[in-house]
């Protein structure tokens, strides 16, 4: 029986072996980073766009745009998108950052083609429904009010403001009393400027076969898509 009153020995960290990183180029010039792990049939595809808050002219536009991409396309409603992803046991998560918006797509290998077909439709053909925009703005505003009552959140905001300055993208924060009036046109402008094949990198991890690479190329690498102008940096 383990005596938990005695501290376990502290051992040096052994040799860490990182998996090799392979860099490929899709037909349209998109860089594809590959980390192969042959032990699992789960595939993770990351779409990395340089469209974070650094590039927005109105605060929250980057976040709202990224959140709305999966809420409706020209061929599916938001509910249909969610239902189809659930059917395949797949998911799309969104990371909204300062200089990047990242879409993490998880799928079993056998459903990757179906999953990326849904994802590509969301990324290339979003409709940004006004109803979904209004709902998200309401939820964001209510969440902001709650967070302003938490001392830890306010302390983090003050630290960033003092370190970077209130006008710096990292140091500026939305206040409930100054909540921006975001319109659908704001969303469309930001989307058109940044979501395109010239402003994205892709990373795939898992059991990456030639079939997996071909599927990714078929959905995102066959032609140039989008008409944005934000440069990769």
């Amino acid at each position: 029986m383990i005596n938990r009153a005695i501290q376990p020995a502290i051992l040096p960290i052994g040799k860490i072996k990182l998996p090799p990183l392979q860099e490929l180029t899709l037909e349209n010039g998109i860089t594809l980073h590959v980390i192969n792990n042959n032990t699992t049939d789960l595939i993770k595809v990351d779409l990395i766009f340089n469209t974070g808050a650094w590039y927005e002219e109105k605060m929250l536009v980057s976040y709202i745009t990224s959140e709305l991409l999966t809420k409706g396309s020209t061929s599916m409603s938001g509910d249909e998108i969610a239902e189809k992803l659930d059917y395949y046991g797949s998911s799309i998560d969104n990371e909204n950052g300062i200089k990047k918006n990242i879409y993490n797509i998880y799928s079993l290998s056998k459903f990757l083609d179906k999953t990326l077909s849904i994802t590509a439709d969301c990324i290339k053909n979003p409709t940004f429904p006004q109803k979904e925009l209004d709902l998200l703005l309401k939820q964001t505003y209510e969440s902001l009010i709650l967070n302003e009552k938490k001392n830890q959140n306010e302390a983090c905001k003050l630290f960033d403001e003092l370190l970077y300055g209130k006008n710096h993208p990292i140091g500026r924060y939305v206040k409930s009393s100054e909540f921006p009036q975001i319109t659908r046109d704001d969303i469309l402008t930001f989307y058109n400027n940044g979501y395109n094949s010239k402003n994205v990198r892709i990373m795939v991890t898992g059991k990456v076969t030639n079939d997996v690479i071909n599927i990714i190329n078929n959905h995102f690498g066959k032609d140039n898509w989008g008409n944005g102008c934000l440069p990769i940096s």
Side-chain angles (χ1 to χ4, degrees), residues 23-34:
E23 185 173 300
L24 305 176
T25 303
L26 302 184
E27 292 180 40
N28 60 0
I30 292 178
T31 300
L32 175 65
H33 303 285
V34 179

Side-chain angles (χ1 to χ4, degrees), residues 60-160:
L60 284 180
V61 168
S62 173
Y63 166 74
I64 297 297
T65 303
S66 64
E67 289 291 320
L68 287 178
L69 277 181
T70 57
K71 300 302 182 182
S73 71
T74 53
S75 63
M76 294 179 288
S77 67
D79 289 340
E80 289 171 330
I81 292 169
E83 183 178 343
K84 287 189 175 184
L85 288 173
D86 185 62
Y87 178 80
Y88 295 118
S90 305
S91 66
I92 302 176
D93 297 332
N94 173 34
E95 298 178 35
N96 184 260
I98 298 298
K99 282 194 171 184
K100 293 178 177 63
N101 285 341
I102 305 174
Y103 293 86
N104 312 123
I105 301 101
Y106 299 88
S107 173
L108 293 174
S109 300
K110 61 183 178 180
F111 296 133
L112 182 63
D113 188 41
K114 297 290 187 181
T115 300
L116 290 190
S117 176
I118 297 169
T119 305
D121 191 28
C122 292
I123 297 294
K124 298 177 183 180
N125 308 301
T127 54
F128 303 115
Q130 185 66 48
K131 179 181 178 181
E132 296 288 352
L133 172 59
D134 294 339
L135 177 60
L136 181 57
L137 287 173
K138 181 176 182 294
Q139 292 171 338
T140 303
Y141 177 73
E142 292 174 349
S143 176
L144 182 61
I145 291 177
L146 290 175
N147 286 332
E148 287 178 341
K149 298 177 181 179
K150 299 177 181 178
N151 291 336
Q152 181 178 357
N153 288 349
E154 292 305 297
C156 289
K157 289 180 183 179
L158 181 59
F159 179 84
D160 287 343

Side-chain angles (χ1 to χ4, degrees), residues 169-187:
I170 301 178
R172 65 185 184 190
Y173 286 89
V174 177
K175 298 179 180 179
S176 59
S177 59
E178 302 173 354
F179 197 79
Q181 298 296 314
I182 296 175
T183 66
R184 187 170 178 274
D185 285 342
D186 295 327
I187 304 302

